[in-house]
C-alpha cells in the first residue's frame, strides 16, 4: 500500500492499498450506492474479483474518518510513512474505505469475457472506479486512479506475471469521458457492450514498457515551402515531426498525476460531441517537449502532427482537383512552434510542409487513394490536397515533376482586414513605430544607398502609406504602401524590436503593395501574373523577417482580391529567399485556397525522448 502526498488535507490522509476479503462488505455498500441496480456489481461478483484478481483490486482508505461511514482498520507497512512520520510496522490505523478500483484480466473486451478472470489475458478490464458520494469532486478519484495505474504498471514490469498485460480498458458514460482522458486514457468510441440502459464508451490506456522506452524515435523532415523547385534555397523552410499520438501520453501512463485532474467533475463534459475524443489534447510535458524540439530545429516554425483515427472529418470542396470520396480522408492534429519555443495557432508554410510529408507521391503506396488530408489546429480546421495532373484539367497551375517536390493546395480560413482608427493609439502610433523601425542605413550591398533620419522616416511613411488595418482577432498588422515606398524599404536595416511597440496586434507586421506589370513579368515563377508583393515581420513570436508566410495570405489574398476585383491573386514575398503564393478566393465559403510548391531537403529520425 502507498501514501499519496498532496497539499490537500483530505488526500494527505488517504492510504491506497489492496482490498482484503474483509473489505468486501464496505466495497459493496459503496458500489450499491453509486450505481443503478442494473449496473452495480453484486457482492458475490466483488468477492470473485478479489479472490481471483487480488492484485487488481485496490482501495482508498481514509485514516481517522469520523463522518459516520462504517469503520475499519488497516495495518501499516514498514515502507510507509503517514503525514511525514514513519509508521511502526505493527501499528494499526483506524478509518474507512471511501473508494476503490477493481479489474479482471481477459483476452478480449466483450461482455462474455468480462464475466471471469483469465490470468493469461493481456487486457486488464476495469469494472469499477467508484468514490463515496461525500468525497467526490475533491480529487480523490484522480488520485486513486493514478495510484492504481502506477501500482499495476510496476507489477506488470516486475516480471512476476506469467503473461504481461498490454493495456487497461474500461467503459464509461459520456459525462465521464473527459475525466478519464485527463487521467491518461484515450476514448475509442461507442462500446458494443450493453450494460444497463445507458450508452457507454470504451477507453483504453496502453501500458508503458520498462525496456527501451528511451529509444523511441520519430520521423522528422525539413521542407522548403512555397519554393521554386528548380532553384535551391528558395521558399520558407519548416521542420516537421510525425508522432504516433499526442506527445506526453507515455509520461502520463507512467503514473504522473495530471495537474488538471484534481477535480473529478467537469461541466464541459456535457458539451462533448459524440464521435469526438481528446486525441488532439497535449499534456504539459508534451508542450515542453515540442518547445524544446522546435528550438533544436531552429526554424521559423516546426510543425508537430499525429493521427486522429477516431476523428470525424467533414471536407470542404477541393481547391483545384475534384473532391475524392473513394477513401477516408486521414485526419491529423497539428501544432506549431517557433524557433524561440513559442506556440502559434496557425502557420501556412509549416502546414504546407506537413501536408507534403503525408501526401508526397513517393510516400503513397496506392495512387488511387484519397489525395487529401485534414489538419486540426488549435482554432482552425485545415484541409490540403496534392495537385495531380487530372485527365481533363483546365487549370494552368503547374504541377512539379521534381523528384522531391510537390504542388500542394491548402484550404485555409478567410481573414478580413479592418481599418484602424486615425489619431493617437491608432494610425499615428503605427506610423511612429514604423518610422523608428526603418530609420537605419541600408545594407552596403544594396543598390539604393540612403539613410533615413527619424523625421524623414516619419514623413516617408505619411507619404507612402495607403492603408493600415488589422486582421481578424487583431493577429497581424497590415500596412499597404505604394510600390515606390515598398521598394525604398528593400535592403534597409530594420530595428525589429521597435516593431513590437504598438500593442494593437499579437503576431506580425505585414507590409505590402500592388505589383506593377514590370514586376510581374520579372518573377521567376511560372505564374500567369503577379498581383501583389509583401514582407512579413514577427518580432512578437520570435521571428525577425519570415521568408514566406502562408498564413499571412489568409488576409493578403482577400485584401488584394477585393482591391483588384479578382478571385485568383498571386503574390511574391520579397525576403532574401523569396517565394510565390497563389490565392484562390472562395468568399461564399469563407475560405482561401493557398497554393505552393514544397521541396523536401532533409529526412531522418528524431532521437530527443519525450
Amino acid at each position: 500500500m502507498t501514501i499519496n502526498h498532496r497539499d490537500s488535507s483530505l488526500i494527505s490522509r488517504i492510504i491506497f492499498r489492496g482490498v482484503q476479503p474483509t473489505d468486501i462488505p464496505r466495497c459493496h455498500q459503496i458500489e450499491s450506492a453509486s450505481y443503478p441496480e442494473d449496473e452495480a456489481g453484486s457482492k458475490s461478483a466483488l468477492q470473485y474479483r478479489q479472490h481471483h484478481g487480488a492484485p487488481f483490486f485496490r482501495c482508498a482508505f481514509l485514516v481517522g474518518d469520523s463522518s459516520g461511514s462504517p469503520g475499519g482498520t488497516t495495518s501499516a507497512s514498514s515502507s510507509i510513512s503517514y503525514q511525514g512520520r514513519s509508521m511502526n510496522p505493527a501499528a494499526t490505523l483506524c478509518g474507512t474505505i471511501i473508494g476503490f478500483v477493481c479489474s479482471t484480466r481477459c483476452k478480449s473486451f466483450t461482455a462474455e469475457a468480462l464475466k471471469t478472470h483469465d490470468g493469461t489475458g493481456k487486457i486488464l478490464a476495469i469494472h469499477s472506479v467508484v468514490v463515496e458520494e461525500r468525497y467526490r469532486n475533491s480529487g480523490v478519484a484522480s488520485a486513486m486512479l493514478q495510484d492504481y495505474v502506477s501500482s499495476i504498471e510496476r507489477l506488470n514490469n516486475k516480471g512476476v506475471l506469467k503473461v504481461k498485460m498490454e493495456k487497461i480498458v474500461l467503459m464509461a458514460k459520456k459525462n465521464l469521458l473527459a475525466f478519464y482522458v485527463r487521467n491518461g486514457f484515450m476514448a475509442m468510441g461507442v462500446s458494443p457492450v450493453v450494460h444497463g440502459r445507458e450508452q457507454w464508451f470504451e477507453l483504453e490506456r496502453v501500458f508503458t514498457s520498462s525496456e527501451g522506452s528511451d529509444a523511441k524515435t520519430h520521423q522528422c523532415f525539413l521542407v522548403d515551402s512555397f519554393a521554386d523547385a528548380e532553384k535551391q534555397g528558395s521558399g520558407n523552410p519548416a521542420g516537421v515531426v510525425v508522432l504516433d499520438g499526442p506527445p506526453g501520453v507515455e509520461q502520463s501512463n507512467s503514473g504522473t498525476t495530471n495537474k488538471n485532474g484534481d477535480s473529478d467533475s467537469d461541466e464541459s463534459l456535457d458539451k462533448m460531441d459524440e464521435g469526438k475524443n481528446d486525441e488532439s489534447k497535449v499534456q504539459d510535458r508534451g508542450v515542453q517537449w515540442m518547445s524544446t524540439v522546435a528550438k533544436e530545429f531552429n526554424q521559423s516554425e516546426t510543425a508537430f502532427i499525429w493521427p486522429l483515427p477516431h476523428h470525424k472529418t467533414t471536407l470542404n470542396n477541393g481547391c483545384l482537383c475534384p473532391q475524392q470520396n473513394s477513401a477516408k480522408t486521414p485526419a491529423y492534429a497539428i501544432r506549431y512552434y517557433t524557433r524561440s519555443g513559442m506556440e502559434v495557432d496557425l502557420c501556412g508554410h509549416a502546414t504546407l510542409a506537413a501536408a507534403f510529408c503525408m501526401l508526397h507521391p513517393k510516400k503513397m503506396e496506392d495512387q488511387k487513394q484519397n489525395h487529401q488530408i485534414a489538419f486540426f489546429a488549435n482554432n482552425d480546421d485545415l484541409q490540403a490536397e496534392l495537385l495531380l495532373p487530372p485527365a481533363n484539367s483546365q487549370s494552368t497551375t503547374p504541377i512539379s515533376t521534381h523528384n522531391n517536390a510537390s504542388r500542394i493546395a491548402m484550404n485555409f480560413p478567410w481573414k478580413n482586414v479592418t481599418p484602424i482608427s486615425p489619431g493617437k493609439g491608432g494610425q499615428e502610433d503605427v506610423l511612429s513605430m514604423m518610422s523608428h523601425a526603418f530609420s537605419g542605413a541600408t545594407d552596403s550591398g544594396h543598390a539604393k544607398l540612403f539613410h533615413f533620419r527619424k523625421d524623414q522616416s516619419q514623413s516617408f511613411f505619411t507619404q507612402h502609406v495607403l492603408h493600415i488595418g488589422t486582421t481578424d482577432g487583431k493577429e497581424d498588422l497590415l500596412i499597404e504602401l505604394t510600390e515606390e515606398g515598398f521598394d525604398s524599404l528593400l535592403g534597409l536595416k530594420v530595428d525589429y524590436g521597435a516593431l513590437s511597440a504598438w500593442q494593437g496586434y499579437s503576431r506580425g507586421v505585414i507590409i505590402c503593395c500592388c505589383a506593377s506589370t514590370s514586376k510581374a513579368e520579372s518573377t521567376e515563377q511560372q505564374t500567369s501574373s503577379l498581383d501583389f508583393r509583401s514582407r512579413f515581420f514577427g518580432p512578437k513570436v520570435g521571428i525577425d523577417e519570415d521568408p514566406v508566410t502562408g498564413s499571412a495570405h489568409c488576409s493578403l489574398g482577400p485584401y488584394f482580391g477585393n482591391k483588384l476585383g479578382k478571385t485568383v491573386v498571386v503574390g511574391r514575398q520579397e525576403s532574401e529567399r523569396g517565394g510565390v503564393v497563389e490565392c484562390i478566393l472562395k468568399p461564399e465559403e469563407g475560405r482561401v485556397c493557398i497554393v505552393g510548391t514544397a521541396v523536401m531537403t532533409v529526412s531522418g529520425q528524431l532521437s530527443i525522448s519525450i
Side-chain angles (χ1 to χ4, degrees):
M1 58 185 174
T2 58
I3 289 282
N4 183 294
H5 293 285
R6 288 194 179 185
D7 294 334
S8 167
S9 59
L10 174 64
I11 300 299
S12 67
R13 292 167 50 209
I14 293 177
I15 292 174
F16 299 110
R17 63 166 174 80
V19 167
Q20 305 299 318
T22 54
D23 297 323
I24 294 301
R26 171 59 177 155
C27 291
H28 181 246
Q29 182 183 46
I30 298 174
E31 174 93 0
S32 300
S34 302
Y35 293 105
E37 185 176 353
D38 59 349
E39 297 175 8
S42 65
K43 186 176 180 179
S44 60
L46 296 180
Q47 288 172 328
Y48 174 88
R49 294 166 191 168
Q50 194 281 328
H51 179 76
H52 293 278
F56 313 113
F57 203 150
R58 294 178 61 80
C59 67
F61 184 91
L62 180 61
V63 176
D65 175 65
S66 59
S67 61
S69 298
T73 61
T74 190
S75 297
S77 163
S78 59
S79 62
I80 291 300
S81 63
Y82 173 60
Q83 293 186 343
R85 300 190 303 274
S86 298
M87 297 297 300
N88 184 328
T92 298
L93 298 175
C94 294
T96 189
I97 293 173
I98 62 171
F100 66 89
V101 182
C102 68
S103 309
T104 54
R105 295 178 65 172
C106 53
K107 292 180 179 177
S108 62
F109 194 29
T110 62
E112 189 64 28
L114 292 174
K115 294 178 181 179
T116 58
H117 174 75
D118 183 344
T120 62
K122 294 184 178 181
I123 298 173
L124 183 65
I126 293 180
H127 294 274
S128 297
V129 179
V130 59
V131 173
E132 188 178 0
E133 185 175 6
R134 73 184 71 194
Y135 298 109
R136 294 172 192 167
N137 303 322
S138 58
V140 174
S142 290
M144 182 174 66
L145 189 57
Q146 291 289 350
D147 166 82
Y148 185 85
V149 172
S150 178
S151 173
I152 300 303
E153 284 195 329
R154 286 196 300 271
L155 175 67
N156 202 41
N157 289 327
K158 276 182 178 180
V160 298
L161 300 177
K162 292 182 179 180
V163 178
K164 289 188 68 171
M165 298 175 290
E166 295 179 349
K167 60 183 178 181
I168 307 176
V169 299
L170 60 85
M171 295 189 303
K173 295 178 182 177
K174 181 180 177 181
N175 68 320
L176 286 175
L177 284 176
F179 163 73
Y180 286 109
V181 170
R182 285 200 308 268
N183 284 282
F185 287 80
M186 179 174 287
M188 307 306 293
V190 177
S191 175
V193 176
V194 177
H195 185 55
R197 294 185 296 272
E198 296 190 47
Q199 188 179 56
W200 294 77
F201 294 81
E202 290 185 4
L203 299 99
E204 71 175 40
R205 178 172 179 158
V206 177
F207 281 114
T208 57
S209 173
S210 60
E211 302 175 0
S213 59
D214 293 335
K216 176 67 175 177
T217 60
H218 307 283
Q219 280 188 301
C220 61
F221 307 89
L222 284 179
V223 177
D224 288 342
S225 297
F226 303 110
D228 180 348
E230 307 305 324
K231 179 183 176 182
Q232 294 182 351
S234 64
N236 196 353
V240 179
V241 179
V242 182
L243 304 169
D244 297 328
V249 168
E250 290 186 359
Q251 172 68 15
S252 74
N253 284 353
S254 67
T256 301
T257 300
N258 187 313
K259 74 175 186 178
N260 294 324
D262 289 341
S263 174
D264 303 333
S265 65
D266 189 346
E267 294 180 358
S268 65
L269 296 174
D270 294 333
K271 301 178 181 179
M272 293 182 65
D273 294 327
E274 290 187 13
K276 290 188 177 181
N277 54 46
D278 281 16
E279 295 168 309
S280 61
K281 294 294 180 63
V282 182
Q283 298 183 5
D284 289 347
R285 184 170 179 82
V287 169
Q288 183 59 48
W289 180 81
M290 289 189 289
S291 176
T292 299
V293 171
K295 292 177 183 178
E296 187 74 17
F297 269 72
N298 198 30
Q299 301 300 312
S300 58
E301 272 89 13
T302 296
F304 299 84
I305 63 174
W306 59 91
L308 302 174
H310 307 288
H311 202 105
K312 291 182 178 179
T313 305
T314 302
L315 293 179
N316 297 290
N317 292 327
C319 289
L320 295 177
C321 300
Q323 185 174 345
Q324 301 172 353
N325 295 316
S326 58
K328 183 181 184 297
T329 300
Y332 284 79
I334 187 165
R335 299 293 181 268
Y336 314 95
Y337 284 79
T338 69
R339 58 166 46 94
S340 66
M342 179 183 298
E343 184 177 12
V344 293
D345 287 335
L346 183 64
C347 176
H349 83 276
T351 306
L352 183 72
F356 169 85
C357 293
M358 294 293 101
L359 297 177
H360 189 271
K362 291 174 70 175
K363 180 182 178 64
M364 301 166 74
E365 298 177 356
D366 181 5
Q367 289 299 305
K368 294 181 180 180
Q369 77 178 72
N370 200 324
H371 298 293
Q372 295 177 321
I373 190 170
F375 291 112
F376 295 88
N378 279 332
N379 300 318
D380 297 293
D381 296 348
L382 313 171
Q383 176 185 330
E385 60 186 88
L386 176 69
L387 299 185
L388 298 176
N392 299 310
S393 174
Q394 298 180 354
S395 173
T396 59
T397 302
I399 309 293
S400 175
T401 57
H402 191 283
N403 286 338
N404 288 324
S406 289
R407 191 82 168 156
I408 302 289
M410 302 181 294
N411 196 316
F412 268 40
W414 177 294
K415 295 192 177 183
N416 292 303
V417 177
T418 303
I420 66 171
S421 61
K424 197 71 175 174
Q427 294 184 16
E428 183 179 331
D429 287 358
V430 170
L431 292 174
S432 175
M433 176 187 74
M434 296 298 290
S435 66
H436 280 81
F438 287 90
S439 61
T442 58
D443 294 333
S444 58
H446 197 266
K448 298 179 180 179
L449 287 174
F450 59 92
H451 189 288
F452 274 147
R453 295 196 310 270
K454 284 187 170 59
D455 58 335
Q456 292 175 322
S457 181
Q458 181 86 31
S459 175
F460 169 86
F461 281 102
T462 301
Q463 176 185 352
H464 289 284
V465 168
L466 301 178
H467 184 84
I468 304 176
T470 54
T471 63
D472 288 348
K474 296 184 177 180
E475 183 179 42
D476 295 330
L477 172 66
L478 184 146
I479 303 170
E480 184 191 2
L481 302 170
T482 64
E483 190 167 31
E484 178 187 355
F486 185 91
D487 285 336
S488 296
L489 298 182
L490 292 176
L492 195 67
K493 289 184 178 179
V494 183
D495 181 351
Y496 300 108
L499 286 174
S500 300
W502 192 59
Q503 300 303 309
Y505 76 97
S506 62
R507 186 180 73 148
V509 176
I510 304 168
I511 61 173
C512 55
C513 70
C514 284
S516 63
T517 303
S518 61
K519 295 295 180 182
E521 292 175 348
S522 66
T523 180
E524 299 178 11
Q525 292 282 342
Q526 297 177 349
T527 52
S528 57
S529 66
L530 191 65
D531 298 296
F532 63 92
R533 301 159 65 200
S534 67
R535 295 172 71 184
F536 183 91
F537 308 92
K540 292 189 178 182
V541 290
I543 301 170
D544 290 342
E545 181 168 4
D546 205 25
V548 189
T549 315
S551 60
H553 290 75
C554 293
S555 52
L556 281 167
Y559 179 80
F560 283 101
N562 290 333
K563 185 180 181 73
L564 302 175
K566 293 185 174 183
T567 58
V568 179
V569 290
V570 180
R572 179 173 182 84
Q573 195 152 327
E574 300 284 5
S575 63
E576 182 178 350
R577 293 175 63 96
V580 171
V581 183
E582 181 179 351
C583 304
I584 303 171
L585 308 178
K586 297 188 173 184
E588 67 284 354
E589 299 176 19
R591 310 293 293 183
V592 179
C593 288
I594 297 175
V595 184
T597 297
V599 180
M600 182 185 297
T601 58
V602 177
S603 63
Q605 297 293 321
L606 177 67
S607 300
I608 301 177
S609 60
I610 301 177

